[in-house]
């Protein structure tokens, strides 16, 4: 059951925590794992806008974001290796919720696992907007780990 | 992992579907299952209010609701028996989300599993209000099954 689990992460402490749960679950169920990091397009645009005219180079930002994404997915991949779980890393750019849903669809995953909050942090006890969108639109079961 | 799974159900087709997934997951993980049906206090009050002065007896309604709750939890218990999973049935009365959260806390469950919509039906693709509240307030992971 749950042969292909999609773990969505953004590198936040909470989401690394939920990634650990995902790997553990995959190990128990013998599932394959895809780990997805979405570089948030809107966030990039905002940073770029704030840096215009300050001698800032767009490609440096993109390179730094890419490197940070790679670091996160490689951490989860290593968690998988340590547990004997096959993990395929995926990095995309765009709106996080849309890319998560799209990836789940394309890859035919049968469970999406994600944290309740991303980098935006915890506002009271409410779940984050990305988790909410994924919950609202996913046809596959979604597991939210705090 | 996930030694004690709480399956919340209200007997709707969607929630029986998610109960089936919960039993399957519990079987794969060797988990114990609690199945909880909450008789919705608000709904009872509304029905009673609408029946006042029509020769209607409150205790008949309560008895009917209790019987219907028992039927649902016994169905899930039977699913468990068929799969070799230990299922403990629980029936409570009150606000569904509050009772689900309270039960998870008291029983120390490490995963709550529920449908995206209860008897209220499916309004577009949005998740139901009970699922939303549980997601917002649960400290345990929550799995939403459509």
């Amino acid at each position: 059951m749950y042969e292909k689990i999609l773990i969505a992460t953004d590198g936040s402490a909470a989401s690394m925590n939920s990634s650990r749960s995902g790997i553990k679950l995959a190990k128990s169920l013998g599932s394959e794992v895809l780990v997805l990091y979405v570089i948030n397009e809107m966030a990039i645009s905002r940073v770029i806008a704030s840096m215009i005219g300050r001698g800032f180079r767009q490609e440096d930002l993109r390179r730094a974001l890419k490197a940070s994404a790679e670091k996160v997915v490689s951490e989860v991949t290593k968690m998988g290796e340590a547990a004997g779980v096959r993990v395929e890393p995926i990095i995309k750019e765009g709106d996080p919720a849309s890319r998560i849903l799209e990836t789940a669809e394309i890859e035919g995953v049968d469970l999406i696992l994600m944290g309740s909050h991303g980098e935006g942090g915890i506002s009271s006890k409410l779940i984050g907007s990305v988790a909410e969108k994924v919950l609202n639109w996913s046809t596959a079961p979604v597991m939210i780990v705090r």
Side-chain angles (χ1 to χ4, degrees), chain A:
Chain A
M1 129 163 269
Y2 303 133
E3 286 171 23
K4 215 171 180 179
I5 299 177
L6 175 63
I7 297 179
T9 180
D10 66 355
S12 62
S15 94
M16 291 318 273
N17 212 14
S18 77
S19 299
R20 241 181 304 275
S21 299
I23 295 290
K24 228 172 132 186
L25 182 65
K27 186 182 166 63
S28 301
L29 298 175
S31 327
E32 182 189 338
V33 167
L34 307 178
V35 57
L36 170 65
Y37 183 111
V38 181
I39 300 176
N40 190 331
E41 203 167 50
M42 284 288 286
I44 302 175
S45 310
R46 271 197 299 273
V47 176
I48 290 175
S50 76
M51 286 175 156
I52 278 173
R54 289 202 258 156
F56 159 80
R57 283 166 35 177
Q58 264 198 43
E59 58 268 38
D60 289 340
L61 172 66
R62 287 197 180 271
R63 203 172 300 124
L65 288 168
K66 189 80 189 295
S68 148
E70 274 160 4
K71 189 166 166 281
V72 172
V73 296
S74 114
E75 255 184 74
V76 181
T77 308
K78 273 180 204 146
M79 282 181 202
E81 271 167 20
V85 173
R86 208 190 127 209
V87 179
E88 185 189 330
I90 307 176
I91 296 173
K92 292 192 175 182
E93 204 171 292
D95 170 62
S98 310
R99 288 291 165 276
I100 292 167
L101 291 162
E102 170 199 279
T103 307
E105 192 82 14
I106 294 171
E107 302 282 349
V109 309
D110 38 24
L111 178 66
I112 301 175
L113 193 142
M114 60 191 299
S116 54
H117 290 86
E119 282 185 317
I122 295 177
S123 50
S124 132
K125 282 194 162 191
L126 305 174
I127 56 164
S129 62
V130 179
E132 204 183 349
K133 276 186 215 160
V134 172
L135 278 160
N136 279 335
W137 295 99
S138 171
T139 49
V142 178
M143 192 189 295
I144 300 292
V145 181
R146 216 166 285 272

